[in-house]
Structures are given as C-alpha cells and as structure tokens.
Amino acid sequence: MDQTRAARMASGGRFNVTRHPGLAIAAVTATGIIAAVQYRRSAITRNEKAQKNSAENPNFYVSVDRSGGGI
C-alpha cells in the first residue's frame, strides 16, 4: 500500500481542508450569509410583532409592504 492511501485510511477518509481551501472558504462564507439572512428575518418579525402588540399605540399599527413599492 502506498503512503497516500495509508494516510487516508488512518485519518478515516475525512475531508482535508489543506487540500481544498477554496471549498472550505466557500462553505464558511455560505454559512455566514445564511446565518445573517436568518437573523435579519427574525429581527424584522420580532419588531413587527412588538409594534403590533404595543400598549402605547394599539390602534395605529400599519403593516409595511417590504416589496419596495410605495403608496
């Protein structure tokens, strides 16, 4: 058995970051973007619920269309 195959079998055949740095960077970047979008979406939902259930202005709540269109 050659050295490369023996080393691969010893490591369990796991993904080696040093051999694929571009793929590792892309995976970390994609994970960060997904986390940021999820956080922003939950923040918007949280703020909208807080405004809707506000004790100060219960009758003045107006849902805002976030599609980019105006009135």
Side-chain angles (χ1 to χ4, degrees):
M1 194 180 327
D2 61 355
Q3 292 178 351
T4 306
R5 190 172 198 173
R8 188 175 293 158
M9 289 178 68
S11 68
R14 287 177 276 162
F15 179 75
N16 190 354
V17 177
T18 57
R19 296 184 95 187
H20 306 286
L23 185 60
I25 290 171
V28 170
T29 302
T31 303
I33 290 171
I34 290 170
V37 169
Q38 291 285 347
Y39 177 78
R40 184 67 181 140
R41 185 169 53 187
S42 68
I44 289 171
T45 303
R46 222 177 17 251
N47 289 340
E48 204 161 297
K49 284 181 183 179
Q51 288 175 4
K52 188 174 185 179
N53 299 328
S54 174
E56 293 177 15
N57 300 319
N59 297 323
F60 302 114
Y61 173 76
V62 177
S63 180
V64 177
D65 182 21
R66 288 177 166 60
S67 66
I71 294 175

